[in-house]
Amino acid sequence: MGGSGGLVHLLTLAVIFVNGWTDAPNAIATAVGSGALTFRRGVVLAAACNFAGAALACLCFPAVADTVGELVAFGDPRSAAAALNAALLSIVLWAVAAWRFGLPTSESHALLAGLSGGALALGSASLNAGAWIKALAGLGLSLPAGVLAGRLIRGTLAGRIRRPARGQRWAAALTALLHGAQDGQKFLALLLLAQGLEGGGSPSRLGLALLTAGVMALGTALGGKPIVEKVGTELASLSPAEGLAADLGAGAVLLACSALGLPVSTTHAKVAAVCGAGRGASRAVMGQMAGAWILTFPACGGIAFLLARIMQG
């Protein structure tokens, strides 16, 4: 069983790396798009703040990891390892495919889909209704809350900000910090599950949180330029003040959901805030993103289901 648990560990770290590579760049997209940050400086800022957020979240927002860890009770350890491996592989495959086309997908959405598909492939798995209600509430709220927050903050800031570019740099740092807190906790939960499968002695929760933070920061440091361009320049035309409103709106949603223990999609929150704060959002780009999001659940769930069946066989 130690080998299965070790493979879960490796695949979880791969998902964390991909999350930093494809999801974390959303935090700096508007600041780079408006010229407040260069892409390279933005990536360094995002990597540092993602590390800090993921490391600190185990002290500030542990409820997010607890919610994700309670989503599925797998029962038999051997079947649990197969289901988790299948779920993680489905996330990596889907995220890399989306990155290839510059589409900002939600690893949170993919995580729920992969866990669902893996669980359905098992006869012994059961779903925790309370944890799933929290997770689905977070995903469902991220889009309308992001649009509303971006729009309200844009109206509040109108004519009141003299140096929005400086504000954008601070807001991008805050968004990256909160991204690390949210997504770091989700994937910390998977490392804890993997630790349970492996058995024996295990690093502390803080030690695993630091490992999560480091791998996520490494992925972020490699950048995700196609996604930054899609969200920061192609999705909507943003003035520096509107970009600041989008960053603050996304940050407000992430902070509220983290405090409530709701696993929320950081991608959905940021893109929704951009649409709320900006004017004339591109319908073509929005259609591409919506299509990718709609396909995420059946695609990741289906891949995980098939892989789990193969691994059990």
Side-chain angles (χ1 to χ4, degrees):
M1 185 51 58
S4 298
L7 181 57
V8 174
H9 262 109
L10 290 175
L11 288 174
T12 302
L13 293 176
V15 170
I16 295 168
F17 177 85
V18 168
N19 177 268
W21 181 33
T22 65
D23 199 354
N26 289 316
I28 60 167
T30 48
V32 172
S34 70
L37 284 169
T38 64
F39 176 74
R40 181 44 51 190
R41 288 185 178 180
V43 165
V44 172
L45 176 70
C49 291
N50 265 286
F51 179 88
L56 291 173
C58 66
L59 302 176
C60 302
F61 305 117
V64 174
D66 294 339
T67 299
V68 173
E70 294 169 358
L71 287 171
V72 181
F74 289 104
D76 175 58
R78 183 174 181 276
S79 298
L84 279 175
N85 287 333
L88 293 165
L89 276 171
S90 73
I91 296 169
V92 172
L93 292 172
W94 183 251
V96 172
W99 168 85
R100 171 65 181 81
F101 294 99
L103 294 173
T105 59
S106 167
E107 267 77 30
S108 304
H109 197 174
L111 173 61
L112 293 182
L115 286 175
S116 299
L120 286 174
L122 304 179
S124 57
S126 62
L127 304 181
N128 182 325
W132 274 91
I133 288 172
K134 281 187 177 182
L136 294 175
L139 285 180
L141 287 172
S142 57
L143 286 172
V147 170
L148 181 61
R151 190 166 295 166
L152 289 175
I153 294 175
R154 183 189 69 191
T156 302
L157 296 181
R160 293 182 173 88
I161 302 297
R162 294 184 180 180
R163 303 181 69 177
R166 175 180 290 182
Q168 267 199 289
R169 290 191 283 272
W170 283 103
L174 174 65
T175 306
L177 185 81
L178 291 169
H179 170 273
Q182 258 286 330
D183 284 13
Q185 283 294 289
K186 292 172 194 143
F187 297 116
L188 170 62
L190 296 185
L191 282 177
L192 291 170
L193 285 173
Q195 210 55 55
L197 290 177
E198 198 167 46
S202 64
S204 67
R205 189 180 180 112
L206 178 59
L208 291 175
L210 291 173
L211 176 62
T212 300
V215 175
M216 183 181 290
L218 178 61
T220 304
L222 295 181
K225 199 166 187 178
I227 295 171
V228 169
E229 291 173 349
K230 183 77 71 175
V231 175
T233 60
E234 297 178 27
L235 176 59
S237 178
L238 296 173
S239 68
E242 289 169 344
L244 174 59
D247 289 338
L248 291 176
V253 173
L254 295 179
L255 179 60
C257 289
S258 296
L260 293 170
L262 300 178
V264 66
S265 168
T266 54
T267 301
H268 288 185
K270 181 58 180 284
V271 170
V274 168
C275 292
R279 303 173 193 274
S282 168
R283 291 186 178 181
V285 176
M286 289 176 64
Q288 290 176 355
M289 292 181 182
W293 293 344
I294 290 169
L295 287 173
T296 295
F297 211 98
C300 286
I303 293 170
F305 182 89
L306 293 174
L307 288 174
R309 283 293 179 88
I310 293 170
M311 289 177 184
Q312 286 184 92

